[in-house]
Amino acid sequence: MSVRRKLVKFMLWAALATSLLAAAASAACWRYGDSIVSYFKPTIERLASEATGLSVSFSSGSVKLFPYIRVVLREGSLISPQGCSPWSVQEASFRIRILPLLQRQLDVASVKIAGVRGTFAMSRGALSLASSSGSPCEARGSSQGASPAQGKPPAGATTSGMPLGVNIEKLLLTSSDLTIFGFAESHSLRLDEVSASVRADAGGLTLPELDIAGAFDSVPIIFDLHNATASSKSTVFAASGEIGLGDQRIEASGRYDRDGQSGQLNISLKDVSLGEDERLFGDSLPPIRGTASGALAATIKAEDISISGDISLRGSDVRVGDSFSAREVRARELAVTLKDRRLASARANIIVEKFHCVDGSDAYSADRVDGTLSLSQDGDTMFSGALSIAGFGFKDEDTTITKATALLEGLSGTVSAQTGTSVKVSLNASSIYLVNPNIIVNSVSSVTAPLTISVPAAGGYSVSGPVTIAGGVLTLQGRKLEQTGGTIQMLVSSPLKDFRSSNLSTVSSGQQISGKTHFAMTRANYTIRDTSFALGEGTFAADLSLGRQGVLPFTASVQASTLPVAGTYRALMQEDGAPIDGSIQSFSAKISGERKDLKRSLVGEGSLLLSNAVIQTVDIQQLIRKAIAAIPLVGTSLVPKEQPLEIHDGSIAASFAVKDAQVTVPDLEVEYSNLQIQASLTSGFDSSLKGTAKVIFLQETFRLLGFGFDKLGNFLAREGRVAIPLTIGRTISDPSVEPDMQEIGKFVSGVDLVESIASGVESLGE
């Protein structure tokens, strides 16, 4: 017989034998199927119940014996002794190869589980079965045995002599939905497919591959684990793994010794995008947006965990909650310790690029923050460190700070859930640029300050401490102040900014100014009080309340004494050419108004006394001489024939009132050694000027007005009173002085003169 014919004959006999075996197995399943199912089903239910501590049962099942054992269980459920039903299974099927069983090996070709529905509760990082409301299901101890509903295994069944080797070639879980309660809210976990292979023997357990695909709270996830092993000593090692969240990937590897409760975990992140829709931690952490990258290593010892590595969060709009944002946040040489799974300490080198923070209408920013931070936690959280800040900025309704550079040294503080955050720090800053409608700080050579920062748990913030400034260059209302310095007691908070100083100094146009002040700024207004400055031997004091944004009213009061007029003018106006020389013996004024309509709303009153006053911009004597000479008939005779004495030691006194866009001076008195001027003037805010005056010639000057009559001249000199009436007009910068012809008419008619002579004759006769 040829080889070919022998091979065909063997194949026919083999096919026949196989057919006979299949027929026999089918007949056995048809005849004894219910008995076989009744054997396997209770055993599986009992083993599962012992493993979970819950009552596990299936409503129905089927079995097939050839060419492999196939067991199918349907409509499974898990029920706690209290009636909690956290899980259900639509179908579970097992394909077991027959021949390996003869060698005490359980070789499972496949395990397929479909339609799992269940609930977990997460507490302190551990998962437990839970009811649909999230309450943990209390499991029964394994010593209590299976529930009566499960029945007893058939005679001859035993739990001893378990297989020495188990191999599951394909474990497949599909179409399952789980709910996880944790972090103050519930999350949904959809498992589209879980695929794995398992090998177990006397040496331990090996999981060559585990792949999970699904969604967590509608965010697609994947999980790939390779070559995970569990030795007989319960040491688990995962050579490599990958977690996918959306389009992101996280690689991980590590080992864990369950007996020693110790392990190592390495995690690598590359461009992992975080968004507010990925609330994996519920409300326990603020929502974080950005792209995370870095590498972390965790060492686990019982309940203690140590984490080290580098991590960064970057993007065009990195955000933490609604208040903080940055372009990049990096933590280098990160070291974190968790005791009993709670944060105990942390340390890192911190770099923050393009930082922004908003609190109400106040906005803070920094181009770069670089330094070291450490924290520890024992009830409250305590931290310390040092930071370098470049390009610090601040902005509220009308004030902007930019270009500030600062060192924060000796940084320490406490964070308490009950009281909030308190911080102490030593500030060393420079290069400040501040812009406000009223003041501009161009530069400051140094700012040093031990500061206390408080952020109460109820909200808000405050920054306080003595701030020492040197070398400041300020522009106040368009006027430059140099070498500005002093120590300022500062309080900066969300509703209030308060500054006090008793040793301020500055230089304005070469004039040294020193003083003290109390300046406060709220969201509604500015106030200045307890403020005075010294210039030379004189002082200047002021109080001010000024509405912000130019819409609220203001009030101001000013007092001054023994101030040099020229020096004060140069310091205030920053130019020479004061219109009056001399000394301000006293000055006081109170004014108020509406900034939005200053000219029409401004009202006030005050008084002024000058000594050694010389009016520089107007030649008073020349104006008076011209005015007297213009009197018809007698004008040229009234003008003194000799030049009067030089005016150099006069005094000026006046009160004034401000109303209806003009200043009224009802009682101006100017007194020199050779004449007096009494005037009533009104000046408009448009520089217009009008009023009346009397020039009173004194002493020897009046002898020249006797018209050749010695007795008359002597009388006038003795009486010392010849008043020449004048009118004043045009503008302040270019006044006109003319004789008051109506008053002079009386004099020309002889009425006043006759009365004066008659009175004088009577006096002479006596």
Side-chain angles (χ1 to χ4, degrees), residues 60 169 176 178 281 312 333 449 483 598 651 656 698 708 753:
S60 63
E169 184 176 318
S176 299
L178 307 178
F281 298 98
S312 68
E333 300 180 12
Q483 301 178 34
L598 188 61
S651 65
F656 61 88
L698 305 175
L753 183 59

Side-chain angles (χ1 to χ4, degrees), residues 575-632:
E575 60 183 30
D576 294 323
I580 301 176
D581 198 3
S583 176
I584 301 174
Q585 292 302 302
S586 66
F587 173 78
S588 65
K590 292 183 178 181
I591 58 174
S592 62
E594 295 277 351
R595 293 176 65 192
K596 63 181 180 180
D597 192 4
L598 188 61
K599 288 185 177 181
R600 293 168 54 179
S601 66
L602 193 65
V603 295
E605 59 184 12
S607 63
L608 171 69
L609 175 61
L610 300 178
S611 64
N612 301 320
V614 177
I615 300 177
Q616 303 284 8
T617 58
V618 179
D619 189 341
I620 294 179
Q621 290 202 66
Q622 186 65 22
L623 287 174
I624 293 173
R625 290 170 65 88
K626 288 182 178 181
I628 296 174
I631 299 175

